[in-house]
Amino acid sequence: MSQYLNYAIELAKMVDGQTGLNPPVGAVVVNRGRIVGLGAHLKKGDKHAEVQALDMAKDAAKGGTIYISLEPCTHFGSTPPCVNKIIEHGLKKVVYAVKDTTLPSNGDEILNSHGIEVEFRPHNEAEALYKDFFIAKNEAIPQVTVKVSCSLDGKQATDMGESKWITNKSVKQDVFKLRHQHDAVLTGKGTLEADNPQYTTRIEQGRNPIRVILSKSGQINFDLDMFNHPSEQIWIYTENDNLVSNIDRVTVIALTDCSIKNILEDLYEKGIGRLLVEAGPTVTSLFLQSNYINELIIYYAPKLIGGSGRNQFFHTETVVELAEVPQFEVVNSDMLEQNIKLELRKK
Ligand SMILES: NC(=O)c1ccc[n+]([C@@H]2O[C@H](COP(=O)([O-])OP(=O)(O)OC[C@H]3O[C@@H](n4cnc5c(N)ncnc54)[C@H](OP(=O)(O)O)[C@@H]3O)[C@@H](O)[C@H]2O)c1
């Protein structure tokens, strides 16, 4: 165990959700028991964590050790290889917590050949941090979180479509944080019309996500609030070739087949690494039935709405046997005043 490796992982966690298609990485340079440099990769295209930390350390890095949450890169991407920078600064040792399975891994040999000791020190928390990132990168689709606010009987709205507000103000604040941690928020036209939402992040220094709207029909009412205050870009996925918009920051993307897979592949190509789905039961159910969901977050209010099965957050056309239903594991639970937050991962 090393406190310095833990610091590097903490730095990586701090920038988790803001690095787009790149992984969140933290690095700490230590020499003779003193921290001489700290760094985190802040966004795609920016300096890598190792480079930030070594630039801070300057000559004080010579003979020291660098602790990194992820194996240093050996390739020329939008920035030069980090192993080169480590060699240039004359470090004695490199310690990292996770091997990057998405890149050619010959960094250890390159560093060893320059007399630098390398230690791969596996770390559970760091592994969990990169697990979904590696899958998303290999499959070239974003990491997907589905968020649902509902009553105890799983209703996102009453049969009359009333949904403001089922859950409480603390949930609202928590959802603002979720938006901040994702590159884009996706919803369906049903929600756009029923709730007239903004999907902004009303927290201090909050980053507004790109808004993604699904409407196969392309029957969009451009008088809604979101289009009148487009603080961030709005992308509309449709199968209607005739849909056009002259509104600044609104882009129409017409696909011949608006399947979840096609939409996700296109979003990843456009730089979306993390996607939050905040939709009504139609789109929510589509995602929950797909294989493209990493995390499900449910906020339960202690209410029973009743009525028919309408607006139940999960519904399917066919009923499958219990052994075949989507299964989740609970990774965390929290009380937000009188509401319960459940964080689940698809098995
Ligand atoms: N409590 C909550 O967490 C929460 C959150 C959101 C919404 N809601 C409630 O949910 C209700 C709305 O439910 P909903 O099921 O109608 O909303 P929805 O799921 O957000 O939107 C459904 C619409 O999405 C479009 N769509 C679906 N699949 C698509 C695909 N593969 N490609 C492109 N477009 C696709 C279709 O639009 P077209 O018909 O134009 O093709 C469809 O009518 C409202 O009462 C709202 O208040 C509650």
Side-chain angles (χ1 to χ4, degrees):
M1 279 296 285
S2 156
Q3 56 178 339
Y4 301 120
L5 189 59
N6 288 344
Y7 294 158
I9 294 164
E10 282 309 310
L11 282 166
K13 283 195 207 157
M14 279 182 207
V15 291
D16 190 21
Q18 67 174 55
T19 52
L21 301 187
N22 277 4
V25 183
V28 175
V29 184
V30 180
N31 206 343
R32 293 193 196 89
R34 279 181 57 238
I35 292 177
V36 292
L38 299 165
H41 177 52
L42 302 179
K43 71 173 200 297
K44 190 168 160 52
D46 266 15
K47 286 179 188 173
H48 285 187
E50 300 90 317
V51 177
Q52 299 265 22
L54 290 167
D55 280 352
M56 187 191 285
K58 298 194 181 77
D59 293 346
K62 200 169 167 39
T65 300
I66 185 164
Y67 296 84
I68 323 164
S69 58
L70 183 67
E71 180 181 7
C73 69
T74 55
H75 69 292
F76 279 90
S78 46
T79 57
C82 290
V83 289
N84 292 10
K85 188 89 176 172
I86 291 169
I87 295 162
E88 278 164 29
H89 275 74
L91 284 146
K92 205 172 96 193
K93 186 169 176 180
V94 173
V95 180
Y96 62 82
V98 172
K99 279 193 184 289
D100 192 338
T101 54
T102 65
L103 294 173
S105 186
N106 57 344
D108 293 8
E109 293 97 89
I110 297 173
L111 292 164
N112 285 158
S113 70
H114 285 81
I116 300 169
E117 186 191 341
V118 180
E119 187 184 336
F120 164 44
R121 206 179 285 172
H123 193 292
N124 286 347
E125 265 180 55
E127 256 166 46
L129 184 67
Y130 295 114
K131 190 174 168 218
D132 288 342
F133 169 81
F134 291 153
I135 296 171
K137 190 169 173 191
N138 281 329
E139 292 180 7
I141 54 157
Q143 298 176 57
V144 176
T145 307
V146 175
K147 166 260 156 186
V148 169
S149 298
C150 63
S151 59
L152 292 175
D153 49 339
K155 299 267 286 196
Q156 283 185 288
T158 67
D159 281 3
M160 312 301 284
E162 197 186 347
S163 67
K164 286 181 180 165
W165 297 101
I166 294 174
T167 45
N168 65 24
K169 282 190 175 155
S170 303
V171 168
K172 221 174 157 184
Q173 286 301 318
D174 206 61
V175 172
F176 289 150
K177 279 193 242 156
L178 272 184
R179 288 179 191 161
H180 170 73
Q181 290 160 352
H182 289 78
D183 303 317
V185 171
L186 178 147
T187 197
K189 194 200 66 185
T191 302
L192 186 72
E193 283 187 342
D195 297 351
N196 196 9
Q198 290 275 0
Y199 290 129
T200 47
T201 306
R202 282 154 263 173
I203 55 172
E204 194 184 345
Q205 303 281 350
R207 179 178 62 128
N208 285 332
I210 289 169
R211 274 76 57 84
V212 178
I213 297 162
L214 304 195
S215 173
K216 266 190 193 179
S217 73
Q219 306 295 316
I220 299 276
N221 173 4
F222 287 110
D223 291 331
L224 292 167
D225 285 353
M226 195 187 284
F227 303 108
N228 290 311
H229 312 282
S231 58
E232 242 308 342
Q233 294 184 60
I234 299 171
W235 299 345
I236 304 172
Y237 281 91
T238 185
E239 291 181 0
N240 179 351
D241 289 332
N242 298 319
L243 179 65
V244 281
S245 163
N246 298 321
I247 303 169
D248 193 28
R249 291 176 175 253
V250 175
T251 307
V252 175
I253 302 149
L255 301 179
T256 39
D257 174 10
C258 271
S259 67
I260 297 297
K261 183 168 185 273
N262 288 347
I263 291 166
L264 289 177
E265 284 175 350
D266 195 68
L267 285 170
Y268 192 83
E269 239 178 80
K270 289 180 166 54
I272 304 300
R274 284 188 172 222
L275 178 72
L276 177 66
V277 177
E278 270 196 72
T282 309
V283 170
T284 299
S285 297
L286 272 180
F287 272 89
L288 291 178
Q289 285 173 85
S290 78
N291 290 322
Y292 308 108
I293 151 171
N294 302 93
E295 217 181 354
L296 168 63
I297 298 181
I298 309 181
Y299 298 97
Y300 282 107
K303 294 173 187 168
L304 289 167
I305 290 181
S308 69
R310 204 168 164 228
N311 289 324
Q312 196 93 34
F313 76 80
F314 186 57
H315 53 82
T316 57
E317 275 175 19
T318 51
V319 176
V320 295
E321 290 187 11
L322 264 184
E324 287 166 33
V325 300
Q327 307 242 3
F328 296 83
E329 60 179 352
V330 179
V331 287
N332 201 18
S333 65
D334 208 356
M335 284 286 285
L336 300 173
E337 293 171 44
Q338 274 292 301
N339 287 183
I340 298 166
K341 177 184 183 183
L342 267 191
E343 290 173 61
L344 306 118
R345 289 187 61 85
K346 192 141 185 210
K347 277 195 184 170

